[in-house]
Amino acid sequence: MKNDEHKGLEMTRREFLKLTAAGAAGIAASSILPGGIGQVLAADETEESAYENHLEGQDRASNENITIEAPKEKIRYNIIDSHLHYTDFLEKSDGFPALCKAMDMSGVSKSVIFGMGIAKQWDSSMPEAPSYYLSNDSRCYYYSATDFLLAEDFLAQPKEIRERFFPFCCGFNCNDKFAADHVEQVLKLYPKFWCGIGEIMSRHDDLTALTYGEPPHINGEGFLGIFDLAAKEGLPVLVHHNITAQSTESILYLDELYDALEYNRDCKIIWAHVGISRRVEVKNLISIADELLKKNNNLWIDISWIVYDYYFLDEFPDNYFDGNTLDDWVKLIEKYPDRFLVGTDKVGHWATYPAEVVKYYKLLDRLKDKTADMICKENVLSLIKEYK
């Protein structure tokens, strides 16, 4: 090949790469949030025109006309949902409009929102598609696209919907020592957008056992890198970390949590479900939580999902009793009123959302008015990063 011809081809490749980079940047360029790359590539775009750019084909709602079951109690509290997955384990969602309807029916004014960082695989040997990670014994895998699905669906919504949510990113493998680098790229791609990190998984019994790779643990180097980045960026980190394995009362994984909390005191860690999951049954969980809160000012506790049903309300499927009552939990929350959060932990589908909210009324009605307001709203607002 002649040099001139070769040179011409090289120029074409350069132009192609330049156009490719511009296209990738376009994802963030159309961002409606202040300070985004869009101010460089489309400085004259108004907020509404940016919204129109995102609107085309971005709302992936699988059931826009879903029927939402009305709550069985009169709405008495204004709540910010601190734990909500926009997508399920198949990365599907009922969408933002239906979610806002469910929130309106439940007295939920705003919500933290994140995707699902682990997806369920449909094996070629399985004739029936799974609907949940426990549907069969097929493996699960880390799914980074969940952050982009959430971001693009979010940006497709009108302003009145966007203003109700605080997006977190969660689509990365925390075993990977490059994890913090991957998070940083997502933060840069959607600047002034992410309000926190999570829910990320550590020691999540069946889920992490089914997921490809080594079992994640919260004091591993991948996690520690994320904690450093989160501290630098002022982002809270929501982590699911079981206190022990299933079907044993021995506390196996508590030291790992202590290590993580001690590693970087500037990182604010939200411990999901007080370390409880299915078939995780331990005695005196309250005393464990009390000691953790006393020793770690950078720890907050999320009481969403089955920890509330099993440990607060003593509704264990097998009649297990851990030694504590709802009144005991009330005393602990009153002792640390600024350290607890409530959330639904709904996963992509909103038909039963109101019931998951009003179940907390049994607890909230026992708390002082100020304490109830703190765990419903103020505590989560003190943690998330907001952009003006």
Side-chain angles (χ1 to χ4, degrees):
M1 180 180 293
K2 294 181 181 179
N3 288 339
D4 288 346
E5 291 175 349
H6 181 74
K7 181 177 180 181
L9 287 173
E10 288 301 317
M11 291 296 292
T12 301
R13 293 190 187 103
R14 291 192 188 99
E15 288 301 315
F16 173 76
L17 291 172
K18 187 185 297 183
L19 289 171
T20 302
I27 298 173
S30 56
S31 173
I32 54 161
L33 297 174
I37 300 174
Q39 290 186 349
V40 177
L41 299 182
D44 294 332
E45 289 275 316
T46 65
E47 183 173 287
E48 287 309 308
S49 63
Y51 158 61
E52 292 295 335
N53 287 342
H54 276 280
L55 189 59
E56 184 84 26
Q58 291 299 328
D59 193 347
R60 304 177 305 105
S62 61
N63 188 355
E64 295 178 354
N65 299 316
I66 184 172
T67 299
I68 299 167
E69 299 174 14
K72 294 182 179 180
E73 293 198 44
K74 182 180 178 180
I75 299 303
R76 304 195 300 277
Y77 294 94
N78 179 5
I79 291 174
I80 296 178
D81 190 340
S82 69
H83 191 130
L84 180 60
H85 294 269
Y86 180 63
T87 53
D88 62 17
F89 287 93
L90 309 183
E91 301 302 328
K92 295 180 180 180
S93 175
D94 287 338
F96 278 105
L99 174 55
C100 287
K101 179 182 177 182
M103 291 165 62
D104 289 341
M105 294 171 62
S106 312
V108 176
S109 55
K110 297 187 177 185
S111 179
V112 168
I113 192 85
F114 36 84
M116 181 61 72
I118 296 178
K120 179 69 170 180
Q121 180 171 297
W122 186 2
D123 286 350
S124 59
S125 61
M126 289 288 140
E128 183 176 324
S131 60
Y132 191 53
Y133 74 88
L134 291 175
S135 293
N136 55 41
D137 60 0
S138 297
R139 303 298 291 273
C140 301
Y141 59 96
Y142 296 101
Y143 189 79
S144 60
T146 197
D147 293 330
F148 301 97
L149 297 177
L150 168 65
E152 292 303 300
D153 277 14
F154 177 90
L155 293 169
Q157 307 308 312
K159 183 178 180 181
E160 60 267 23
I161 289 182
R162 299 193 308 268
E163 288 179 338
R164 299 184 69 173
F165 295 95
F166 305 105
F168 282 28
C169 58
C170 65
F172 34 86
N173 179 355
C174 296
N175 285 323
D176 188 352
K177 290 165 69 173
F178 282 125
D181 296 331
H182 300 325
V183 177
E184 193 165 23
Q185 290 184 69
V186 174
L187 298 182
K188 289 179 179 177
L189 188 56
Y190 293 90
K192 296 189 176 180
F193 180 84
W194 303 106
C195 302
I197 297 171
E199 182 189 16
I200 52 180
M201 306 299 182
S202 166
R203 303 293 189 190
H204 194 321
D205 51 78
D206 295 297
L207 178 58
T208 50
L210 286 169
T211 302
Y212 289 101
E214 64 178 301
H217 45 98
I218 195 171
N219 60 345
E221 291 188 58
F223 276 94
L224 301 184
I226 292 171
F227 297 151
D228 282 338
L229 176 63
K232 184 181 76 171
E233 297 292 337
L235 300 169
V237 183
L238 171 62
V239 186
H240 181 124
H241 176 77
N242 281 7
I243 197 169
T244 191
Q246 295 173 332
S247 304
T248 177
E249 288 188 355
S250 299
I251 305 301
L252 301 178
Y253 307 135
L254 188 59
D255 287 346
E256 295 177 356
L257 178 59
Y258 271 106
D259 289 345
L261 290 163
E262 293 170 1
Y263 172 73
N264 189 329
R265 291 298 187 184
D266 292 327
C267 179
K268 300 175 180 179
I269 294 178
I270 305 168
W271 189 27
H273 326 307
V274 206
I276 295 304
S277 191
R278 289 185 182 87
R279 304 195 305 280
V280 174
E281 299 178 346
V282 298
K283 298 291 186 183
N284 300 316
L285 184 61
I286 282 181
S287 62
I288 295 170
D290 189 357
E291 190 71 11
L292 277 162
L293 290 168
K294 181 171 65 175
K295 293 182 177 179
N296 299 281
N297 291 329
N298 57 329
L299 174 68
W300 282 258
I301 287 180
D302 154 15
I303 61 172
S304 67
W305 198 38
I306 59 176
V307 67
Y308 181 76
D309 303 315
Y310 291 3
Y311 283 81
F312 285 62
L313 304 182
D314 292 318
E315 295 177 355
F316 283 93
D318 57 359
N319 297 316
Y320 178 86
F321 181 62
D322 68 304
N324 299 129
T325 66
L326 182 58
D327 288 336
D328 294 325
W329 283 101
V330 168
K331 291 176 184 177
L332 180 68
I333 293 173
E334 292 290 2
K335 184 176 180 180
Y336 302 98
D338 58 339
R339 309 284 286 284
F340 285 86
L341 313 172
V342 294
T344 62
D345 200 11
K346 297 303 286 183
V347 180
H349 305 287
W350 325 128
T352 59
Y353 185 92
E356 200 66 28
V357 175
V358 300
K359 76 177 188 180
Y360 291 107
Y361 285 10
K362 291 182 180 179
L363 168 67
L364 297 175
D365 288 347
R366 287 172 165 78
L367 297 171
K368 297 176 183 177
D369 290 347
K370 177 60 176 175
T371 303
D373 191 56
M374 291 177 76
I375 74 167
C376 285
K377 296 186 304 181
E378 293 181 20
N379 293 347
V380 67
L381 289 175
S382 73
L383 290 170
I384 59 175
K385 183 173 183 177
E386 294 192 76
Y387 303 95
K388 304 300 182 181

